[in-house]
Amino acid sequence: MSSTNTLKALMPGDVQSDPARRAMLAEIDASCRVPVLFFVVSGLMWLLLGTLLALVASIKLHNPEFLAAWEWLTFGRVRPAHLNTVIYGFASQTGIGVTLWLMCRLCRVPFPAPGLTTVAALFWNLGLTIGVVGILVGDSTAIEWLELPRYSTPILFFSYALVAVWSVITFRLRRERHLYVSQWYLLAALLWFPWLYATAQIMLLIEPVRGVVQASVNWWFAHNVLGLWFTPIGLGAIYYFIPKVVGRPIHSYYLSVLGFWSLALFYNWNGLHHLIGGPMPAWMITVSVVASVMMLIPVITVAINHHFTMVGHFGKLRHSPTLRFIVFGAMAYTLTSLQGVANSLRSYSEIVHFTHHTVAHAHLGVYGFFTMVMFGSLYYIVPRITQREWPSLALISVHFWGCALGLILYVVPLSYGGILQGLGMNDASIPFLKVVEGTLPWLRIRTGAGLLLALGHVAFVVNLGWLLCRVFGPYRKPVVELFTETGTAAVTAK
Amino acid sequence: MNYGPLLFLGILFTLASSWVGLVLMPNRQLGALTANTSTNDTGVVVVYPQPRHGEAQQGAEHYRSLGCVYCHSQQVRPEGFGSDIERGWGRRRTVSRDYLYDKPVMLGTSRTGPDLTNIGERQSSHDWHYSHLYNPQITSKGSVMPPYPFLFEKRRVPASGPSSDALKLSGEFAVEDGWEVVPRPQARQLVEYLRSLKTTVDLPEAPLPKAAAVEE
């Protein structure tokens, strides 16, 4: 490899700043503006609703009389409504928005179908609204991660198909011959998700398979939404933004190849560790446990690659909001993945499987890792597609610390409380209600953590709304490092 | 790694492997499972499991719709793995065949509340279930299960006297004189479903422990 090629393999390519290239990037950013903003803004609206539903559900678990008179707000409906709004409303839509922008930037082509994709986004939101109302009025399928009723999901599927087709076309039209590591992950996510979703729809909702085969399809699907949809988008974004903001190449090209293919090979076999101890033939569970342990390879590889790229540059965290969120997310990815390996072992699963420990683990993954990475990405992307800088540094700080501290306060106590709960349940001499009583302090702390997260979300949405109001004002050049004198100057400039 | 087609094929083949392994293979192994026919000690032929009908089946729909599965599992782990059997949640582990006719299968992943695989055997009384659904604090003080007042109707005692299925409420849960609380059809169906939940039949792949089997 020549030295230019080596650099291309290790850095997201758009580093040069000659005027021609900058004009091309501006054209690409402009082409993404409407669809990406539409996905992002509607995603954040779902995040606010999902946060509210989460708080209601959380309070109900230590205060069962709370809002108990209304059937549509009973715990068993609010909980799946929360999951589906944050997964399909917030995380997926924000993920799609970030994917579109990254794909265009890395392929060096303006997005070919902004209008059509915006229509697709509109239908995605329509399908989801119908589905979430469906859950609240009692049409939930009660299949975890697939609760949206059958009459709403085809709308989601077809609008997704439209987005994916155009993203893959963008990839085919690429003007940059070199493929950066982020593109592998994004392309994989775009192709894996429809396969997962179609299989689950057909085999669970349209023509349900017999008996416990439903459970294996369910967990193959649900775990892969995490592993083959959110994880590759999140890792792709981390691979893009760390080198981009820090201004140095990723640690090792070969580790990035190893990390990608070992994830592709092992992650999709993980799902059935959710059924340890369940009524399934042992081989199915064993194969998933083995694959879960094999995940150590991609996790450690990616961890070395991400964290070693940061070594010596942690000072930059003070200045770049993007980097703060992204590095937090990368660390949470390492932690949640290692925790996931532990959870999949039979001896550990025997204790924590049916407890709140699993809920804490899921939030460390979907929130600590994926959501934080998405927030970080948006701090970089939104100023570029709107050509406006974030109006308030104070709100960025509230957002970061609300979410970071909220998440730590959520995960640490609830993981610990979950282990105590599991040990209690496995000791038949302790009455069940005694075990329930033991979980109450941890559940109350969780509600407090939820309030902190909600504070962070509101700060972010206010800041974004403020920024969007300024779209009608004069142009301001975005800067990478906001928490510095130049950054502050850019924000406060009249 | 700049070769698009190779990347594309790699992406497809990796997922295809687990799609075959964890989706198609389980369906091949378990998709054609049938009910078990056996003769019990008294010479009666037993076919197990049986599909649910009528009110119990309607009740399963309420169980799904109200999201009971988010706090209650329906699976008994084997002896020596957890303490499901010691807690009396079942006399034997559950196996694939127990769920033959369930749509959807609601194994559950959380035990915020106890396992319900055998709730029909553990609590067969209608009264217990109605009181418990109306307000779990009546039967299980300290429970975090929500009350389900909307499954019941509070109404004036009819001129012909109190209804036979009116809840027997006392103390802090009592209603005013001249009023009564009766289950709505949804509550009745849900309770029929809960009472139908039991895995007390011997299966070749999951025999009941000897002492219990003799009792049958």
Side-chain angles (χ1 to χ4, degrees), chain B residues 52-193:
Chain B
R52 285 190 180 83
H53 295 292
E55 288 205 311
Q57 182 49 37
Q58 291 167 314
E61 293 296 314
H62 301 312
Y63 189 95
R64 168 190 63 72
S65 150
L66 291 169
C68 306
V69 68
Y70 297 104
C71 293
H72 296 285
S73 59
Q74 286 189 25
Q75 51 178 307
V76 178
R77 293 186 288 179
E79 184 91 60
F81 194 78
S83 65
D84 302 14
I85 290 175
E86 289 92 321
R87 278 198 182 274
W89 287 342
R91 280 184 275 160
R92 61 164 173 84
R93 68 165 300 180
T94 51
V95 290
S96 304
R97 209 193 298 256
D98 288 313
Y99 305 88
L100 208 52
Y101 299 110
D102 290 4
K103 263 185 201 179
V105 167
M106 292 181 279
L107 295 178
T109 50
S110 165
R111 285 178 176 166
T112 302
D115 185 86
L116 297 183
T117 311
N118 282 289
I119 190 65
E121 202 191 28
R122 287 157 51 210
Q123 297 287 355
S124 57
S125 140
H126 286 93
D127 284 347
W128 186 90
H129 280 291
Y130 287 139
S131 306
H132 181 244
L133 287 173
Y134 177 69
N135 192 336
Q137 305 301 326
I138 299 174
T139 55
S140 320
K141 188 88 193 128
S143 165
V144 291
M145 175 163 141
Y148 294 87
F150 46 83
L151 295 179
F152 297 84
E153 185 188 358
K154 187 179 162 187
R155 65 179 187 197
R156 284 197 178 280
V157 176
S160 53
S163 313
S164 59
D165 56 357
L167 271 61
K168 298 167 189 66
L169 300 168
S170 58
E172 55 177 308
F173 305 104
V175 287
E176 305 88 312
D177 278 344
W179 291 79
E180 63 176 12
V181 173
V182 292
R184 291 181 195 273
Q186 296 95 304
R188 244 191 292 277
Q189 292 155 358
L190 185 54
V191 168
E192 282 319 312
Y193 170 68

Side-chain angles (χ1 to χ4, degrees), chain A residues 110-418:
Chain A
F111 189 53
L116 205 57
T117 310
T118 311
V119 174
L122 204 68
F123 274 94
W124 180 280
N125 285 289
L126 177 75
L128 192 61
T129 308
I130 294 172
V132 170
V133 171
I135 290 174
L136 291 175
V137 300
D139 289 342
S140 158
T141 65
I143 300 171
E144 286 191 70
W145 291 69
L146 269 178
E147 286 92 345
L148 295 171
R150 219 174 98 176
Y151 49 75
S152 64
T153 46
I155 313 177
L156 291 177
F157 186 82
F158 286 112
S159 60
Y160 175 80
L162 213 55
V163 175
V165 163
W166 280 105
S167 309
V168 174
I169 290 176
T170 309
F171 180 78
R172 289 283 298 149
L173 293 173
R174 64 190 183 277
R175 292 200 288 232
E176 169 61 62
R177 205 191 62 82
H178 175 74
L179 290 181
Y180 182 62
V181 46
S182 298
Q183 282 162 294
W184 317 338
Y185 281 105
L186 297 177
L187 185 71
L190 287 167
L191 295 172
W192 280 331
F193 183 72
W195 190 341
L196 299 170
Y197 203 58
T199 300
Q201 292 294 319
I202 293 167
M203 297 185 75
L204 293 174
L205 301 185
I206 295 169
E207 196 59 53
V209 286
R210 204 167 161 100
V212 293
V213 184
Q214 292 169 32
S216 66
V217 178
N218 183 189
W219 286 108
W220 174 81
F221 167 78
H223 200 85
N224 282 342
V225 172
L226 215 63
L228 301 185
W229 173 233
F230 293 133
T231 301
I233 295 178
L235 293 182
I238 297 174
Y239 265 119
Y240 181 87
F241 286 110
I242 290 185
K244 187 89 187 159
V245 175
V246 172
R248 84 185 278 210
I250 51 166
H251 180 68
S252 156
Y253 175 77
Y254 296 100
L255 283 184
S256 64
V257 176
L258 177 63
F260 175 77
W261 287 113
S262 52
L263 177 132
L265 214 52
F266 299 129
Y267 218 144
N268 63 107
W269 283 86
N270 275 9
L272 269 58
H273 65 217
H274 287 266
L275 296 168
I276 292 174
M280 317 291 288
W283 71 264
M284 295 181 198
I285 300 186
T286 304
V287 77
S288 276
V289 172
V290 171
S292 306
V293 175
M294 294 304 277
M295 281 303 291
L296 284 171
I297 298 172
V299 167
I300 292 172
T301 312
V302 166
I304 292 173
N305 232 359
H306 287 166
H307 304 320
F308 277 47
T309 307
M310 278 304 294
V311 167
H313 296 265
F314 286 100
K316 292 210 162 94
L317 290 177
R318 286 179 40 221
H319 305 310
S320 164
T322 298
L323 203 58
R324 275 191 202 181
F325 281 94
I326 296 274
V327 169
F328 186 101
M331 290 180 169
Y333 176 69
T334 308
L335 287 176
T336 194
S337 302
L338 295 176
Q339 191 191 19
V341 172
N343 285 2
S344 74
L345 300 174
R346 278 194 171 84
S347 51
Y348 194 60
S349 170
E350 181 182 3
I351 300 167
V352 299
H353 181 38
F354 294 106
T355 71
H356 299 299
H357 186 88
T358 312
V359 181
H361 169 61
H363 282 78
L364 184 56
V366 180
Y367 199 100
F369 159 50
F370 185 75
T371 301
M372 293 300 261
V373 169
M374 288 300 106
F375 287 152
S377 309
L378 293 181
Y379 275 111
Y380 191 92
I381 296 173
V382 173
R384 277 149 192 85
I385 58 176
T386 58
Q387 304 202 312
R388 297 294 178 276
E389 196 41 87
W390 293 96
S392 165
L393 297 182
L395 285 174
I396 297 178
S397 293
V398 173
H399 180 202
F400 179 76
W401 291 109
C403 292
L405 296 177
L407 184 85
I408 293 166
L409 188 65
Y410 188 118
V411 172
V412 176
L414 202 60
S415 297
Y416 178 69

Side-chain angles (χ1 to χ4, degrees), chain A residues 449-471:
Chain A
L451 288 169
L452 273 176
L453 296 175
L455 176 72
H457 299 163
V458 170
F460 184 47
V461 170
V462 168
N463 214 3
L464 179 66
W466 192 351
L467 181 149
L468 292 178
C469 290
R470 286 182 165 192
V471 165

